[in-house]
Amino acid sequence: MNFGENFAFKKAVESEKYCNTNEYGIATREGIGKKTILLLGIALLTSLLIIGIMLKIGYLPLFIYPIAIIFTTVVQVIMCFSPRKAKSLAIPYAISEGLTIGVLCGLLEIVLPNQGLAIAGSALIITLSVFIVGVILYSKGFIRVGKRFYTFLICISVGLSISFLFMLIINIVSLFTGGSSFFDLLYSSPFALLIAIVMCVIASLYLIASIANADNMIRYGADANLEWYAAYAITLNVIYLFLEVLRLILILFSKNRD
């Protein structure tokens, strides 16, 4: 899972640099919206396909997970430094994300028969609800994204990343000495629920930031070719939020079982 690592967001405060010759026309909300729906749809369909395969043949597709993670990371870095490449890489990225999510959800259903997919479905509904509400609130002007918003989000993300790195080092040492693991910290420690809630809030803020970034690109007159980058950034944040919501639900589910 990602913890404050959002490559697309790093470009959010530099959207004015995207304005070039408009050789492909001007970016529009409709164009970004259609491409975002396309990417999310591809990721969802790919996930459902992998889940179906896993439920039929078991754990065999697990080897796909590390490959997809590596591919996704490489593609994210490329698009981060060269946003225009999103036109050719956004769809492969969506497929790769769909593979990783599909393996996770398929594994969840295997481990928790008749409950795993229900949990994943709940996380999906909550994520899409937050996304839709975020779009509406931003479009109506109830949420304003400025320099203070970006500064706050960057600071809290850096702080959390340092904290997680510090805790990871401590837990690695603790693991070799017979103590708890980093996994225990994130899922079964007394702080797990609080951490999960905070990460869901941060993921929601990232999602709002990506929506604002797309809107800024439009207002600055970015060309239509960059609609793919805006759609990719929004898709990345929707998936990021989904993973955090899924973790929160799993923690709540485990606590209820206890």
Side-chain angles (χ1 to χ4, degrees), residues 108-173:
L108 188 60
E109 177 63 19
I110 292 175
V111 174
L112 299 172
N114 302 319
Q115 294 178 311
L117 290 183
I119 293 174
S122 299
L124 177 62
I125 292 173
I126 293 173
T127 300
L128 293 179
S129 298
V130 172
F131 176 43
I132 293 172
V133 170
V135 171
I136 294 174
L137 292 178
Y138 179 83
S139 63
K140 297 297 183 181
F142 292 105
I143 299 177
R144 297 184 181 276
V145 178
K147 289 184 178 180
R148 291 183 179 179
F149 183 96
Y150 289 127
T151 301
F152 168 77
L153 194 49
I154 291 174
C155 289
I156 195 172
S157 297
V158 171
L160 283 171
S161 297
I162 294 174
S163 298
F164 273 113
L165 179 60
F166 182 70
M167 288 186 288
L168 177 59
I169 294 173
I170 293 177
N171 277 268
I172 290 176
V173 175

Side-chain angles (χ1 to χ4, degrees), residues 1 8 10 33 66 69 75 122 128-129 153 161 187 209 212 227 230 245 250:
M1 293 186 183
K10 293 178 181 178
I69 286 290
V75 169
S122 299
L128 293 179
S129 298
L153 194 49
S161 297
Y187 286 91
E227 290 177 348
V245 172
L250 283 174

Side-chain angles (χ1 to χ4, degrees), residues 7-8 11 14 18 20 74-90 225-226 228-230 232:
F7 295 108
K11 290 290 184 180
E14 301 176 0
Y18 297 156
N20 287 294
V74 171
V75 169
Q76 284 181 329
V77 172
I78 292 174
M79 287 190 285
C80 173
F81 290 101
S82 182
R84 292 184 177 276
K85 286 188 168 115
K87 183 176 182 180
S88 58
L89 294 177
N225 185 38
L226 288 166
W228 285 105
Y229 181 78
Y232 146 73

